[in-house]
Amino acid sequence: MELLPLWLCLGFHFLTVEWRNRSGNVMATSQGGCELLDGVADCRGQNLASVPSNLPPSSQTLLLDANPLKTLWNHSLQRYPLLESLSLHSCHLEHISRGAFQEQARLCSLALPDNSLSESYKETAAALHGLRGLRRLDLSGNSLTEDMAALMLQNLSSLESVSLARNTIMRLDDSVFEGLGRLRELDLQRNYIFEIEGGAFDGLPELRHLNLAYNNLPCIVDFALTQLRSLNVSYNVLEWFLASGGEATFELETLDLSHNRLLFFPLLPQCSKLHTLLLRDNNMGFYRDLYNTSSPQEMVAQFLFMDGNVTNISTVNLWEEFSSSDLSDLRFLDMSQNQFQYLPDGFLKKMPSLSHLNLNQNCLMTLHIREHEPPGALTELDLSQNQLSEVHLAPGLPGCLRSLRSFNLSSNQLLGVPTGLFADASNLATIDMSHNQISLCPRPGDLDPGGTPGCVDFRNVASLRSLSLEGCGLGALQDCSFQGMALTHLDLSGNWGLLNGSIAPLWDIAPTLQVLSLRNVGLSSGFKELDFSGFGNLRDLDLSGNALTSFPRFRGSLVLQTLDLRRNLLTALPQRAVSEQLMGSLRTIYLSQNPYDCCGVEDWGALQRLHTVADLAMVTCNLSSRIIRLTELPGGVPQVCKWERVDMGLLYLVLILPSCLTLLVACTVIFLTFRKPLLQVIKNRCHWSSIY
Ligand SMILES: *[C@@H]1O[C@H](CO)[C@@H](O)[C@H](O)[C@H]1NC(C)=O
Ligand SMILES: *[C@@H]1O[C@H](CO)[C@@H](O)[C@H](O)[C@H]1NC(C)=O
Ligand SMILES: *[C@@H]1O[C@H](CO)[C@@H](O)[C@H](O)[C@H]1NC(C)=O
Ligand SMILES: *[C@@H]1O[C@H](CO)[C@@H](O)[C@H](O)[C@H]1NC(C)=O
Ligand SMILES: *[C@@H]1O[C@H](CO)[C@@H](O)[C@H](O)[C@H]1NC(C)=O
Ligand SMILES: *[C@@H]1O[C@H](CO)[C@@H](O)[C@H](O)[C@H]1NC(C)=O
Ligand SMILES: *[C@@H]1O[C@H](CO)[C@@H](O)[C@H](O)[C@H]1NC(C)=O
Ligand SMILES: *[C@@H]1O[C@H](CO)[C@@H](O)[C@H](O)[C@H]1NC(C)=O
Ligand SMILES: *[C@@H]1O[C@H](CO)[C@@H](O)[C@H](O)[C@H]1NC(C)=O
Ligand SMILES: *[C@@H]1O[C@H](CO)[C@@H](O)[C@H](O)[C@H]1NC(C)=O
């Protein structure tokens, strides 16, 4: 009984939703090509040469994008006084009449991107000045210079968001954004800005988000926009980033300095809320260890700030660049694609909240794991493509990587990792150790407890789900290499000779494996066919680039979806029984680059009809001395082969029969003619005693 009201409610809700949707559809009438719905008139891409005059006067939103309007006249919008949002993207607009927005007192969002407003910018500026309530203005892609932009924005004090992206602005002085006291968001990306005068943003106390990406800024010094939450200066030519000294609290949370030419770690505010710092693709390094100096004078850089006749000197200690920065809230740090050869002592300690650290593509040679370094909160650590040859683990640090979930050590020069490093990381789910010349420790007991052993032990890392050991030069696997693990993804590709004819070493993880890659490992069918019957959860299996001569065996409740058998030595397609069983779940199978015998492809038709062969057009077969695409074979493949077989048999018969007959006749003639004397001669010379 209690359920009844609930059912009723649900039913009623359902009905209203249905009704609303249907009524909406009914309302969505079209008028002169425009869709009308809930006060929105959508006239995009209708090839209109003027603003339609027959839309409901109560329209609040008017979308006119991609119409060749060219000009907005005084009267163009006169009939729509309730307009709140107007979009004129790509309308070839060159001219906006002074009084075009006269009636639009309510307009709060105006989008004018990708037009030609630089043509008569003074008129346009005059038209904009009437918009006292405008909050969002998009002027991107209009070839505007800084003077034009300044004029257009003059006195639009209600603006909260402005985009000037993709224009031709080169310098910013303190007059451009004058009087925009409520501006929160400013997009200046993709201009040619090479200089920003001190004070250019001084009149913007509410500014929160500033995007200067894709400009030509050579440096940012004395950065003092304490109110800013996010600053994007990516894709410039920055060599320096230096926040103003002093104790002021910066609101800065996200700083993107990626794709620049920074040589030093940025000199960040002493007090900030920074949680995301992006430094990818610069030329940064730490240098103290490279210079063997003990005198502090040699470690400082002095910046001269000149403002009129005043010169200020700021001295920074380059070798301790990070030490004065406040990094305590930092969660995401991307330092990939730089020149870091080492991380100074205490560097990571300054970031207790760090959860993601990307050091991909640097020159790191050694990793030291100490107390709080890396910090305990770290969940993702990417050290791929460095020159790491050693990992040092300070003794007596149980659970030092306890939060770590993903650890990428791909493409380094590691031979092994310290005993227990992975075992202590109780949340570690993904390890990528591909392209290191490691070997797997033979038996747990063999380990040398001190130092870095020359092997890696993954046994009993129960949390691990995904492991890549591609191209590690692993020797033949031991039967217990994956003991105590519940892997779902395993990549063992490119380790030639790894399995020595049998997949027995994988049986420990067979029940859990979902994705298995055994590309280029030198598997051959050898003495018995490969049997994947115990792999009950396997979805994706890559066996390409091996030497299989027979189709692997799958039995039981199979969930296999993708199977790759390219570049093997298969001579026959999977038999009907096998393929039918497989096709239950299989969605994609790759079969090309195998030397199939054209006469053994009877099942081709059936396979083709299942639409699972992804490389159908590339499957070829060997027909005597030719290679033929299976798709090009005439309908009855077997007939061709039968004909070929019959043909060959006949040929042999035709060739051999006359010779035999001739020989027989010759022998008879000789026998009859010479009889005894010749026979005796032969017998004497060659001792053929038994033939005749
Ligand atoms: C309303 O209709 C739209 C498309 O016409 C559909 O995507 C949406 O899911 C529907 N909503 C409901 C609540 O049925
Ligand atoms: C448009 O209106 C403005 C005043 O709002 C007026 O000065 C101007 O002459 C008008 N333009 C045309 C073409 O009527
Ligand atoms: C902008 O406002 C200032 C003062 O509020 C005024 O003197 C000036 O004429 C205005 N400019 C325009 C173009 O409206
Ligand atoms: C900075 O701007 C670039 C270019 O628009 C963009 O790709 C990048 O995602 C932005 N960075 C952040 C942190 O949003
Ligand atoms: C660095 O200094 C130490 C002792 O001060 C000295 O032994 C070493 O050779 C120096 N290395 C370089 C590269 O100058
Ligand atoms: C120079 O320093 C003084 C005092 O520290 C400060 O008031 C002034 O704004 C600074 N000038 C520049 C251009 O940094
Ligand atoms: C700097 O210039 C201002 C005027 O621009 C002048 O009053 C002041 O005396 C000058 N200071 C120095 C140190 O020259
Ligand atoms: C590890 O890094 C390499 C190279 O940067 C990348 O190709 C690979 O996808 C990463 N592995 C994981 C598991 O993210
Ligand atoms: C490979 O297997 C064969 C036969 O099972 C065995 O004799 C040989 O020792 C194995 N090789 C290695 C390296 O385990
Ligand atoms: C047929 O397949 C064999 C491999 O079994 C290969 O060596 C040979 O080159 C192929 N024949 C032709 C004509 O391609």
Side-chain angles (χ1 to χ4, degrees), residues 304-325:
L304 264 63
F305 300 115
M306 286 179 285
D307 190 6
N309 57 3
V310 186
T311 302
N312 277 4
I313 297 179
S314 170
T315 304
V316 289
N317 188 337
L318 287 180
W319 299 169
E320 299 289 344
E321 55 276 74
F322 66 89
S323 60
S324 62
S325 311

Side-chain angles (χ1 to χ4, degrees), residues 595 622 624-627:
N622 267 2
S624 57
S625 59
R626 285 181 301 153
I627 290 181

Side-chain angles (χ1 to χ4, degrees), residues 189-190 211 213-214 232-235 254-256 276 278:
Q189 62 177 310
R190 294 181 196 271
N211 194 338
Y214 294 101
N232 192 339
V233 204
S234 60
Y235 296 99
T254 303
L255 177 59
D256 189 347
T276 301
L278 307 175

Side-chain angles (χ1 to χ4, degrees), residues 220-232:
I220 291 187
V221 289
D222 205 19
F223 170 72
L225 297 174
T226 51
Q227 74 275 32
L228 220 54
R229 295 243 171 87
S230 82
L231 173 64
N232 192 339

Side-chain angles (χ1 to χ4, degrees), residues 265 277-282 284 286 333-340 342-343 347-348 351 357-362 364:
F265 196 80
L277 178 57
L278 307 175
L279 302 170
R280 183 192 189 86
D281 185 21
N282 279 281
M284 275 184 281
F286 289 116
L333 176 58
D334 185 352
M335 309 207 299
S336 59
Q337 297 180 38
N338 276 286
Q339 315 276 340
F340 291 105
Y342 72 100
L343 299 181
F347 176 64
L348 294 175
M351 314 167 193
L357 175 58
N358 189 351
L359 286 161
N360 158 270
Q361 288 188 58
N362 278 285
L364 297 171

Side-chain angles (χ1 to χ4, degrees), residues 241-250 265-274 277 286 288 303 314-329 344-347 350-351:
F241 181 92
L242 174 59
S244 74
E247 322 255 286
T249 303
F250 283 71
F265 196 80
L267 298 147
L268 299 166
Q270 278 171 31
C271 192
S272 78
K273 300 173 177 171
L274 202 63
L277 178 57
F286 289 116
R288 186 180 26 191
F303 290 87
S314 170
T315 304
V316 289
N317 188 337
L318 287 180
W319 299 169
E320 299 289 344
E321 55 276 74
F322 66 89
S323 60
S324 62
S325 311
D326 177 7
L327 299 169
S328 56
D329 281 343
D345 290 358
F347 176 64
K350 287 188 64 91
M351 314 167 193

